[in-house]
Amino acid sequence: MTTASTAAEAPAPVGQVAGGNALAGTRTLIRFVLRRDRIRLPVWILALLLGTLMTANSFTTLYSDPQDRANAVRSMDSPAGLALSGPRHYLDDPGFGSMLSHQMLGFMTVLVGLMSVLIVTRHTRAEEETGRAELVRSTVVGRHAHLAAALSVAVLADLALALLLALGLTGLGMEGVDTAGSLLYGFGHAAAGLVFAAVAAVTVQLTAHTRGASGTALAVVGVAYVLRAAGDSGENGALSWLSPIGWVQRSYPYVDNRWWPLLLCLALAGACAAAGFTLSTRRDVGAGLRPQKPGSPTASDALITPLGFALRLHRGMLTGFGAGLFLMGAMYGSILGDAEDMLKDIDEIQEALARTGGAGVAESFASMVMVVLTVVAAVYVVMAALRPRSEETAGRAEPLLATGLSRARWVGGHLAVAMGGGTVVLLLAGLGFGIAGAASTGDAGLLPDLVGAALAYAPALWVTAGVAVVLFGWLPRASQAAWLVPVYAFVVGYLGQILRFPGWMNNLSPFGHVPRLPAADMEWTPLLLLSLVAAGLVRLGLAGFRRRDLETK
């Protein structure tokens, strides 16, 4: 055999495909991604759909006549109200459709952005971090196939949500909710999702770690929301035009039905996606464009302990959630002084506030907001408590447990960071809420009250971590079910107060047993019982983990 023929018959190098087709294998990977996310994606889409439809349907009760809608307009027509909702133009013609877009569009696009970011990072950077991408690309798979498949699935999910929203809202038959507006409302969600999916396509090229890529992309989502809020609360709204969320809101579904702002989203998404593909050619598989800093030649004393090692792994996420909840608390606290004027004319909100304890409007409103802050803290707790599962499936737990480190001590380090870190982020949320609330109301006594109200939810967070470790210990493949705890707490604990869910539904959540401070009186017995339940769940979960085999993928 000649040298030329030998070279011609040699296999293509790893990550390359004969003929230079960088997208080879994309369709197969798309089917594989859909197979892996056959439960995750429908849950995301149905949750967003049902949340929107339930809220829209409740408007027929909340704003049953024009006077109710006029009262709502007066309550929202302030810088604080517009920062939380959207541009004032929606309030010029307060129908059911315009009220829905005004109050829900900005918030829901953040959730769609979260879904899109997680889809892209899960099926690109996470695949590289675990080493699976390198194995797949050693076959006939192009270098761009993973990213193209992830973006394609994100597009499919966003479009499916858009169509379901359009069909669902049109099917409600509400006055002012027409087909044209519903289509624009639905595709506004899809446009925002495409932008943030494309942003994630860039961030996964920058860092070698999934959490870093996700965190950076979600930080962009947060900045977009802040720019939108700052612009809508200002006089000219210029800052809102720097945010894709602001572009979506300025399509004005059910009001002007302008489609052209969505073209800005598509243009930005296309540019970011193109940048992601280009940047991927400038790095090796498994590496990031941002060089890693050289570590210390010797490990610190803290790193040789399970707690110190776990804290090192969690510190980025803990810092991000702490800063985010402090700012989120400060944002809500800044409008606490205007709460009475904003809500005084909405009877349903007033009734919901009265059910929290019958205190003043500021205290009752603060107790409702505390549920939202606590649910966000619970998101951190679930992520941190499930970190041992990701360490196990990635194969990093087995080498550690092959040493003298016991299973209980290894999991216990992660749980200590999850439960202790959850308490810390609650404290920071209460501090932000209290400092800004005291400044906006002129009542310095609100600071210790709101900090105490936040810390009262700590036992409920510990129960959440306990549920996660029980699932991890006994039913590891069902461990993602732990996310039902914060989701249920938000739906029942926050929306349920407004939509008047029966009381027994709230009792099924650990957060439903916490006294609603500062509106209600302090009760120590429920907190003690929740702490005991959390301790029992942790012991049960550790017992299950000691009895089962490790699972690796």
Side-chain angles (χ1 to χ4, degrees):
M1 183 179 293
T2 64
T3 304
S5 62
T6 302
E9 295 178 7
V14 173
Q16 295 183 13
V17 180
N21 186 0
L23 296 176
T26 299
R27 287 196 297 178
T28 301
L29 286 178
I30 290 174
R31 293 196 298 270
F32 181 60
V33 170
L34 292 174
R35 175 70 173 80
R36 290 182 62 192
D37 285 357
R38 64 190 182 279
I39 296 176
R40 189 186 304 264
L41 285 181
V43 169
W44 263 108
I45 293 172
L46 287 177
L48 294 172
L49 173 66
L50 294 177
T52 300
L53 296 182
M54 290 172 60
T55 304
N57 192 55
S58 70
F59 280 11
T60 58
T61 301
L62 292 174
Y63 311 120
S64 57
D65 57 58
Q67 184 58 44
D68 292 332
R69 293 194 286 273
N71 293 337
V73 168
R74 286 196 297 272
S75 66
M76 292 290 181
D77 193 8
S78 66
L82 296 176
L84 288 176
S85 50
R88 197 202 175 283
H89 182 53
Y90 284 103
L91 304 179
D92 293 338
D93 184 17
F96 288 129
S98 61
M99 299 291 285
L100 175 67
S101 296
H102 186 239
Q103 298 183 28
M104 291 292 292
L105 197 53
F107 173 68
M108 292 298 293
T109 50
V110 171
L111 297 181
V112 175
L114 173 62
M115 177 186 73
S116 301
V117 166
L118 295 180
I119 290 173
V120 174
T121 56
R122 170 177 164 80
H123 297 290
T124 53
R125 176 50 64 184
E127 293 296 290
E128 294 187 40
E129 191 173 3
T130 58
R132 291 190 292 264
E134 189 170 7
L135 291 175
V136 172
R137 286 178 59 174
S138 66
T139 64
V140 186
V141 173
R143 66 183 308 153
H144 292 324
H146 273 99
L147 181 56
L151 287 174
S152 298
V153 172
V155 170
L156 290 174
D158 292 333
L159 292 178
L161 175 63
L163 291 173
L164 289 172
L165 282 172
L167 292 173
L169 290 172
T170 303
L172 290 178
M174 296 170 57
E175 180 185 353
V177 180
D178 56 11
T179 302
S182 297
L183 282 171
L184 180 57
Y185 183 88
F187 279 93
H189 288 67
L194 294 180
V195 169
F196 295 122
V199 167
V202 174
T203 62
V204 296
Q205 315 304 330
L206 303 179
T207 176
H209 302 287
T210 306
R211 293 178 183 272
S214 300
T216 304
L218 294 178
V220 174
V221 177
V223 170
Y225 185 84
V226 170
L227 287 173
R228 193 282 310 162
D232 290 341
S233 61
E235 293 184 2
N236 55 17
L239 288 177
S240 296
W241 287 103
L242 301 178
S243 166
I245 298 177
W247 300 343
V248 172
Q249 286 192 319
R250 276 158 178 75
S251 63
Y252 295 120
Y254 306 112
V255 181
D256 296 334
N257 288 341
R258 302 192 305 187
W259 286 86
W260 66 264
L262 302 190
L263 297 178
L264 298 176
C265 293
L266 296 181
L268 179 58
C272 289
F277 283 111
T278 301
L279 292 175
S280 69
T281 64
R282 303 176 182 274
R283 64 175 183 85
D284 294 329
V285 178
L289 290 172
R290 187 175 60 190
Q292 297 186 15
K293 296 180 180 179
S296 173
T298 58
S300 66
D301 293 337
L303 286 179
I304 63 175
T305 66
L307 178 60
F309 184 63
L311 186 59
R312 174 63 179 81
L313 293 177
H314 290 262
R315 67 179 184 181
M317 184 171 64
L318 178 59
T319 302
F321 268 90
L325 272 170
F326 180 84
L327 294 175
M328 188 176 179
M331 182 183 70
Y332 279 117
S334 66
I335 67 172
L336 200 57
D338 299 328
E340 186 168 0
D341 292 334
M342 290 173 57
L343 306 175
K344 65 181 180 180
D345 295 322
I346 306 178
D347 295 337
E348 287 74 10
I349 300 294
Q350 289 288 340
E351 293 175 8
L353 294 176
R355 288 194 295 271
T356 62
V361 172
E363 290 80 5
S364 299
F365 179 69
S367 68
M368 291 183 67
V369 169
M370 201 62 70
V371 175
V372 179
L373 297 175
T374 306
V375 167
V376 177
V379 170
Y380 162 78
V381 169
V382 173
M383 294 178 67
L386 292 181
R387 181 63 185 266
R389 176 60 180 168
S390 63
E391 294 292 302
E392 177 188 5
T393 56
R396 293 188 289 267
E398 191 170 6
L400 288 174
L401 297 176
T403 66
L405 178 63
S406 69
R407 291 191 176 199
R409 292 182 64 207
W410 176 67
V411 177
H414 288 281
L415 278 179
V417 176
M419 299 167 77
T423 306
V424 169
V425 298
L426 272 182
L427 173 63
L428 291 173
L431 278 174
F433 198 17
I435 292 172
S440 65
T441 61
D443 182 5
L446 275 178
L447 176 58
D449 290 345
L450 294 178
V451 171
L455 291 177
Y457 281 94
L461 290 185
W462 301 341
V463 171
T464 303
V467 171
V469 75
V470 166
L471 292 170
F472 167 71
W474 291 95
L475 300 169
R477 296 188 179 184
S479 57
Q480 295 297 322
W483 287 105
L484 294 175
V485 178
V487 171
Y488 185 86
F490 175 76
V491 172
V492 176
Y494 181 71
L495 296 179
Q497 295 183 66
I498 300 173
L499 303 179
R500 300 179 183 178
F501 288 178
W504 63 266
M505 294 183 66
N506 199 41
N507 292 332
L508 297 177
S509 168
F511 300 91
H513 297 278
V514 178
R516 295 296 180 89
L517 303 176
D521 295 329
M522 181 62 181
E523 298 180 25
W524 290 99
T525 301
L527 303 186
L528 177 60
L529 292 176
L530 286 172
S531 301
L532 294 175
V533 169
L537 290 173
V538 169
R539 288 180 62 88
L540 179 62
L542 292 178
F545 183 54
R546 284 195 295 265
R547 285 167 171 77
R548 70 171 176 85
D549 293 332
L550 291 179
E551 295 184 3
T552 57
K553 295 181 180 179

PDB file of all heavy atoms in Angstrom, residues 62 346-358 364-365 367-368 494-500 516:
ATOM      1  N   LEU A  62     -60.003  39.577  40.192  1.00  0.00           N
ATOM      2  CA  LEU A  62     -59.289  40.711  40.774  1.00  0.00           C
ATOM      3  C   LEU A  62     -59.740  42.039  40.178  1.00  0.00           C
ATOM      4  O   LEU A  62     -59.845  43.046  40.887  1.00  0.00           O
ATOM      5  CB  LEU A  62     -57.784  40.534  40.557  1.00  0.00           C
ATOM      6  CG  LEU A  62     -57.089  39.403  41.315  1.00  0.00           C
ATOM      7  CD1 LEU A  62     -55.648  39.271  40.866  1.00  0.00           C
ATOM      8  CD2 LEU A  62     -57.155  39.644  42.813  1.00  0.00           C
ATOM      9  N   ILE A 346     -57.181  47.826  45.912  1.00  0.00           N
ATOM     10  CA  ILE A 346     -57.369  46.479  45.374  1.00  0.00           C
ATOM     11  C   ILE A 346     -57.906  45.593  46.493  1.00  0.00           C
ATOM     12  O   ILE A 346     -57.172  45.191  47.400  1.00  0.00           O
ATOM     13  CB  ILE A 346     -56.056  45.917  44.804  1.00  0.00           C
ATOM     14  CG1 ILE A 346     -55.459  46.893  43.778  1.00  0.00           C
ATOM     15  CG2 ILE A 346     -56.289  44.564  44.166  1.00  0.00           C
ATOM     16  CD1 ILE A 346     -54.138  46.443  43.208  1.00  0.00           C
ATOM     17  N   ASP A 347     -59.195  45.323  46.452  1.00  0.00           N
ATOM     18  CA  ASP A 347     -59.848  44.614  47.557  1.00  0.00           C
ATOM     19  C   ASP A 347     -59.267  43.231  47.786  1.00  0.00           C
ATOM     20  O   ASP A 347     -59.073  42.809  48.937  1.00  0.00           O
ATOM     21  CB  ASP A 347     -61.357  44.501  47.284  1.00  0.00           C
ATOM     22  CG  ASP A 347     -62.049  45.861  47.268  1.00  0.00           C
ATOM     23  OD1 ASP A 347     -61.491  46.796  47.878  1.00  0.00           O
ATOM     24  OD2 ASP A 347     -63.125  45.982  46.644  1.00  0.00           O
ATOM     25  N   GLU A 348     -58.983  42.480  46.687  1.00  0.00           N
ATOM     26  CA  GLU A 348     -58.494  41.121  46.844  1.00  0.00           C
ATOM     27  C   GLU A 348     -57.125  41.091  47.526  1.00  0.00           C
ATOM     28  O   GLU A 348     -56.848  40.233  48.358  1.00  0.00           O
ATOM     29  CB  GLU A 348     -58.421  40.414  45.483  1.00  0.00           C
ATOM     30  CG  GLU A 348     -59.773  40.035  44.895  1.00  0.00           C
ATOM     31  CD  GLU A 348     -60.533  41.235  44.344  1.00  0.00           C
ATOM     32  OE1 GLU A 348     -59.933  42.332  44.238  1.00  0.00           O
ATOM     33  OE2 GLU A 348     -61.725  41.079  44.020  1.00  0.00           O
ATOM     34  N   ILE A 349     -56.270  42.050  47.151  1.00  0.00           N
ATOM     35  CA  ILE A 349     -54.957  42.124  47.785  1.00  0.00           C
ATOM     36  C   ILE A 349     -55.103  42.504  49.245  1.00  0.00           C
ATOM     37  O   ILE A 349     -54.421  41.960  50.122  1.00  0.00           O
ATOM     38  CB  ILE A 349     -54.049  43.130  47.053  1.00  0.00           C
ATOM     39  CG1 ILE A 349     -53.866  42.709  45.593  1.00  0.00           C
ATOM     40  CG2 ILE A 349     -52.713  43.251  47.742  1.00  0.00           C
ATOM     41  CD1 ILE A 349     -53.102  41.422  45.418  1.00  0.00           C
ATOM     42  N   GLN A 350     -56.007  43.435  49.526  1.00  0.00           N
ATOM     43  CA  GLN A 350     -56.239  43.829  50.908  1.00  0.00           C
ATOM     44  C   GLN A 350     -56.714  42.644  51.753  1.00  0.00           C
ATOM     45  O   GLN A 350     -56.290  42.461  52.900  1.00  0.00           O
ATOM     46  CB  GLN A 350     -57.278  44.961  50.962  1.00  0.00           C
ATOM     47  CG  GLN A 350     -56.779  46.293  50.443  1.00  0.00           C
ATOM     48  CD  GLN A 350     -55.781  46.943  51.384  1.00  0.00           C
ATOM     49  OE1 GLN A 350     -55.713  46.623  52.558  1.00  0.00           O
ATOM     50  NE2 GLN A 350     -54.978  47.866  50.849  1.00  0.00           N
ATOM     51  N   GLU A 351     -57.605  41.823  51.177  1.00  0.00           N
ATOM     52  CA  GLU A 351     -58.080  40.645  51.907  1.00  0.00           C
ATOM     53  C   GLU A 351     -56.946  39.650  52.138  1.00  0.00           C
ATOM     54  O   GLU A 351     -56.848  39.042  53.214  1.00  0.00           O
ATOM     55  CB  GLU A 351     -59.219  39.987  51.135  1.00  0.00           C
ATOM     56  CG  GLU A 351     -60.488  40.836  51.066  1.00  0.00           C
ATOM     57  CD  GLU A 351     -61.543  40.195  50.183  1.00  0.00           C
ATOM     58  OE1 GLU A 351     -61.334  39.033  49.758  1.00  0.00           O
ATOM     59  OE2 GLU A 351     -62.563  40.842  49.912  1.00  0.00           O
ATOM     60  N   ALA A 352     -56.098  39.467  51.124  1.00  0.00           N
ATOM     61  CA  ALA A 352     -54.963  38.567  51.287  1.00  0.00           C
ATOM     62  C   ALA A 352     -54.010  39.078  52.355  1.00  0.00           C
ATOM     63  O   ALA A 352     -53.493  38.305  53.171  1.00  0.00           O
ATOM     64  CB  ALA A 352     -54.221  38.400  49.965  1.00  0.00           C
ATOM     65  N   LEU A 353     -53.757  40.384  52.379  1.00  0.00           N
ATOM     66  CA  LEU A 353     -52.908  40.960  53.405  1.00  0.00           C
ATOM     67  C   LEU A 353     -53.514  40.790  54.788  1.00  0.00           C
ATOM     68  O   LEU A 353     -52.819  40.503  55.768  1.00  0.00           O
ATOM     69  CB  LEU A 353     -52.655  42.446  53.117  1.00  0.00           C
ATOM     70  CG  LEU A 353     -51.839  42.773  51.861  1.00  0.00           C
ATOM     71  CD1 LEU A 353     -51.769  44.286  51.662  1.00  0.00           C
ATOM     72  CD2 LEU A 353     -50.447  42.188  51.955  1.00  0.00           C
ATOM     73  N   ALA A 354     -54.835  40.967  54.879  1.00  0.00           N
ATOM     74  CA  ALA A 354     -55.508  40.818  56.170  1.00  0.00           C
ATOM     75  C   ALA A 354     -55.382  39.393  56.702  1.00  0.00           C
ATOM     76  O   ALA A 354     -55.263  39.172  57.915  1.00  0.00           O
ATOM     77  CB  ALA A 354     -56.974  41.206  56.041  1.00  0.00           C
ATOM     78  N   ARG A 355     -55.396  38.400  55.809  1.00  0.00           N
ATOM     79  CA  ARG A 355     -55.296  37.009  56.247  1.00  0.00           C
ATOM     80  C   ARG A 355     -53.913  36.662  56.773  1.00  0.00           C
ATOM     81  O   ARG A 355     -53.740  35.635  57.428  1.00  0.00           O
ATOM     82  CB  ARG A 355     -55.658  36.069  55.090  1.00  0.00           C
ATOM     83  CG  ARG A 355     -57.136  36.070  54.746  1.00  0.00           C
ATOM     84  CD  ARG A 355     -57.472  34.885  53.836  1.00  0.00           C
ATOM     85  NE  ARG A 355     -56.827  34.977  52.540  1.00  0.00           N
ATOM     86  CZ  ARG A 355     -57.361  35.595  51.490  1.00  0.00           C
ATOM     87  NH1 ARG A 355     -58.553  36.184  51.593  1.00  0.00           N
ATOM     88  NH2 ARG A 355     -56.728  35.621  50.337  1.00  0.00           N
ATOM     89  N   THR A 356     -52.911  37.501  56.497  1.00  0.00           N
ATOM     90  CA  THR A 356     -51.571  37.203  56.982  1.00  0.00           C
ATOM     91  C   THR A 356     -51.398  37.546  58.455  1.00  0.00           C
ATOM     92  O   THR A 356     -50.408  37.152  59.061  1.00  0.00           O
ATOM     93  CB  THR A 356     -50.513  37.986  56.193  1.00  0.00           C
ATOM     94  OG1 THR A 356     -50.729  39.394  56.373  1.00  0.00           O
ATOM     95  CG2 THR A 356     -50.589  37.641  54.720  1.00  0.00           C
ATOM     96  N   GLY A 357     -52.331  38.291  59.031  1.00  0.00           N
ATOM     97  CA  GLY A 357     -52.204  38.598  60.444  1.00  0.00           C
ATOM     98  C   GLY A 357     -52.933  39.841  60.872  1.00  0.00           C
ATOM     99  O   GLY A 357     -53.042  40.104  62.062  1.00  0.00           O
ATOM    100  N   GLY A 358     -53.415  40.618  59.928  1.00  0.00           N
ATOM    101  CA  GLY A 358     -54.216  41.774  60.279  1.00  0.00           C
ATOM    102  C   GLY A 358     -53.424  42.961  60.772  1.00  0.00           C
ATOM    103  O   GLY A 358     -53.973  43.872  61.383  1.00  0.00           O
ATOM    104  N   SER A 364     -47.880  43.623  56.622  1.00  0.00           N
ATOM    105  CA  SER A 364     -48.525  42.510  55.922  1.00  0.00           C
ATOM    106  C   SER A 364     -47.909  42.297  54.545  1.00  0.00           C
ATOM    107  O   SER A 364     -47.683  41.159  54.119  1.00  0.00           O
ATOM    108  CB  SER A 364     -50.032  42.775  55.795  1.00  0.00           C
ATOM    109  OG  SER A 364     -50.628  42.889  57.074  1.00  0.00           O
ATOM    110  N   PHE A 365     -47.640  43.394  53.849  1.00  0.00           N
ATOM    111  CA  PHE A 365     -46.999  43.282  52.540  1.00  0.00           C
ATOM    112  C   PHE A 365     -45.601  42.687  52.684  1.00  0.00           C
ATOM    113  O   PHE A 365     -45.174  41.850  51.874  1.00  0.00           O
ATOM    114  CB  PHE A 365     -46.929  44.654  51.881  1.00  0.00           C
ATOM    115  CG  PHE A 365     -46.264  44.656  50.537  1.00  0.00           C
ATOM    116  CD1 PHE A 365     -46.869  44.048  49.446  1.00  0.00           C
ATOM    117  CD2 PHE A 365     -45.023  45.250  50.357  1.00  0.00           C
ATOM    118  CE1 PHE A 365     -46.250  44.047  48.196  1.00  0.00           C
ATOM    119  CE2 PHE A 365     -44.405  45.256  49.119  1.00  0.00           C
ATOM    120  CZ  PHE A 365     -45.027  44.656  48.041  1.00  0.00           C
ATOM    121  N   SER A 367     -44.621  40.570  54.910  1.00  0.00           N
ATOM    122  CA  SER A 367     -44.728  39.136  55.172  1.00  0.00           C
ATOM    123  C   SER A 367     -44.996  38.351  53.889  1.00  0.00           C
ATOM    124  O   SER A 367     -44.529  37.209  53.741  1.00  0.00           O
ATOM    125  CB  SER A 367     -45.831  38.866  56.199  1.00  0.00           C
ATOM    126  OG  SER A 367     -47.113  39.158  55.664  1.00  0.00           O
ATOM    127  N   MET A 368     -45.728  38.943  52.941  1.00  0.00           N
ATOM    128  CA  MET A 368     -45.948  38.284  51.653  1.00  0.00           C
ATOM    129  C   MET A 368     -44.668  38.269  50.822  1.00  0.00           C
ATOM    130  O   MET A 368     -44.335  37.256  50.190  1.00  0.00           O
ATOM    131  CB  MET A 368     -47.066  38.988  50.888  1.00  0.00           C
ATOM    132  CG  MET A 368     -48.446  38.819  51.482  1.00  0.00           C
ATOM    133  SD  MET A 368     -49.744  39.605  50.466  1.00  0.00           S
ATOM    134  CE  MET A 368     -49.693  38.573  48.993  1.00  0.00           C
ATOM    135  N   TYR A 494     -47.536  32.018  48.051  1.00  0.00           N
ATOM    136  CA  TYR A 494     -47.634  33.400  47.561  1.00  0.00           C
ATOM    137  C   TYR A 494     -48.877  33.603  46.708  1.00  0.00           C
ATOM    138  O   TYR A 494     -49.777  34.367  47.056  1.00  0.00           O
ATOM    139  CB  TYR A 494     -46.377  33.766  46.788  1.00  0.00           C
ATOM    140  CG  TYR A 494     -46.379  35.187  46.271  1.00  0.00           C
ATOM    141  CD1 TYR A 494     -46.248  36.259  47.134  1.00  0.00           C
ATOM    142  CD2 TYR A 494     -46.525  35.455  44.913  1.00  0.00           C
ATOM    143  CE1 TYR A 494     -46.256  37.570  46.667  1.00  0.00           C
ATOM    144  CE2 TYR A 494     -46.524  36.750  44.432  1.00  0.00           C
ATOM    145  CZ  TYR A 494     -46.397  37.803  45.310  1.00  0.00           C
ATOM    146  OH  TYR A 494     -46.418  39.086  44.845  1.00  0.00           O
ATOM    147  N   LEU A 495     -48.936  32.879  45.580  1.00  0.00           N
ATOM    148  CA  LEU A 495     -50.099  33.033  44.709  1.00  0.00           C
ATOM    149  C   LEU A 495     -51.370  32.541  45.387  1.00  0.00           C
ATOM    150  O   LEU A 495     -52.458  33.075  45.145  1.00  0.00           O
ATOM    151  CB  LEU A 495     -49.877  32.266  43.405  1.00  0.00           C
ATOM    152  CG  LEU A 495     -48.728  32.756  42.510  1.00  0.00           C
ATOM    153  CD1 LEU A 495     -48.616  31.884  41.274  1.00  0.00           C
ATOM    154  CD2 LEU A 495     -48.934  34.211  42.132  1.00  0.00           C
ATOM    155  N   GLY A 496     -51.249  31.516  46.241  1.00  0.00           N
ATOM    156  CA  GLY A 496     -52.429  30.978  46.906  1.00  0.00           C
ATOM    157  C   GLY A 496     -53.118  31.973  47.812  1.00  0.00           C
ATOM    158  O   GLY A 496     -54.337  31.911  48.016  1.00  0.00           O
ATOM    159  N   GLN A 497     -52.350  32.928  48.376  1.00  0.00           N
ATOM    160  CA  GLN A 497     -52.972  33.950  49.218  1.00  0.00           C
ATOM    161  C   GLN A 497     -53.870  34.869  48.404  1.00  0.00           C
ATOM    162  O   GLN A 497     -54.921  35.306  48.871  1.00  0.00           O
ATOM    163  CB  GLN A 497     -51.882  34.777  49.912  1.00  0.00           C
ATOM    164  CG  GLN A 497     -51.034  33.987  50.883  1.00  0.00           C
ATOM    165  CD  GLN A 497     -50.031  34.887  51.578  1.00  0.00           C
ATOM    166  OE1 GLN A 497     -50.399  35.774  52.339  1.00  0.00           O
ATOM    167  NE2 GLN A 497     -48.751  34.674  51.306  1.00  0.00           N
ATOM    168  N   ILE A 498     -53.442  35.143  47.168  1.00  0.00           N
ATOM    169  CA  ILE A 498     -54.221  36.037  46.316  1.00  0.00           C
ATOM    170  C   ILE A 498     -55.369  35.296  45.656  1.00  0.00           C
ATOM    171  O   ILE A 498     -56.490  35.812  45.559  1.00  0.00           O
ATOM    172  CB  ILE A 498     -53.306  36.674  45.254  1.00  0.00           C
ATOM    173  CG1 ILE A 498     -52.185  37.476  45.937  1.00  0.00           C
ATOM    174  CG2 ILE A 498     -54.088  37.575  44.328  1.00  0.00           C
ATOM    175  CD1 ILE A 498     -51.138  37.998  44.988  1.00  0.00           C
ATOM    176  N   LEU A 499     -55.096  34.049  45.221  1.00  0.00           N
ATOM    177  CA  LEU A 499     -56.111  33.263  44.518  1.00  0.00           C
ATOM    178  C   LEU A 499     -57.002  32.469  45.463  1.00  0.00           C
ATOM    179  O   LEU A 499     -57.862  31.714  45.011  1.00  0.00           O
ATOM    180  CB  LEU A 499     -55.426  32.306  43.533  1.00  0.00           C
ATOM    181  CG  LEU A 499     -54.519  32.978  42.494  1.00  0.00           C
ATOM    182  CD1 LEU A 499     -53.891  31.929  41.594  1.00  0.00           C
ATOM    183  CD2 LEU A 499     -55.295  33.991  41.671  1.00  0.00           C
ATOM    184  N   ARG A 500     -56.775  32.589  46.770  1.00  0.00           N
ATOM    185  CA  ARG A 500     -57.624  31.996  47.802  1.00  0.00           C
ATOM    186  C   ARG A 500     -57.650  30.474  47.731  1.00  0.00           C
ATOM    187  O   ARG A 500     -58.701  29.840  47.690  1.00  0.00           O
ATOM    188  CB  ARG A 500     -59.056  32.558  47.705  1.00  0.00           C
ATOM    189  CG  ARG A 500     -59.132  34.066  47.880  1.00  0.00           C
ATOM    190  CD  ARG A 500     -60.554  34.567  47.743  1.00  0.00           C
ATOM    191  NE  ARG A 500     -60.617  36.016  47.832  1.00  0.00           N
ATOM    192  CZ  ARG A 500     -61.734  36.722  47.700  1.00  0.00           C
ATOM    193  NH1 ARG A 500     -62.883  36.106  47.456  1.00  0.00           N
ATOM    194  NH2 ARG A 500     -61.712  38.033  47.795  1.00  0.00           N
ATOM    195  N   ARG A 516     -46.029  34.163  59.965  1.00  0.00           N
ATOM    196  CA  ARG A 516     -45.844  35.218  58.966  1.00  0.00           C
ATOM    197  C   ARG A 516     -45.411  36.527  59.633  1.00  0.00           C
ATOM    198  O   ARG A 516     -46.168  37.492  59.752  1.00  0.00           O
ATOM    199  CB  ARG A 516     -47.141  35.420  58.183  1.00  0.00           C
ATOM    200  CG  ARG A 516     -47.541  34.212  57.335  1.00  0.00           C
ATOM    201  CD  ARG A 516     -46.502  33.950  56.251  1.00  0.00           C
ATOM    202  NE  ARG A 516     -46.837  32.805  55.421  1.00  0.00           N
ATOM    203  CZ  ARG A 516     -47.567  32.861  54.322  1.00  0.00           C
ATOM    204  NH1 ARG A 516     -48.071  34.015  53.932  1.00  0.00           N
ATOM    205  NH2 ARG A 516     -47.814  31.780  53.617  1.00  0.00           N
TER     206      ARG A 516
END
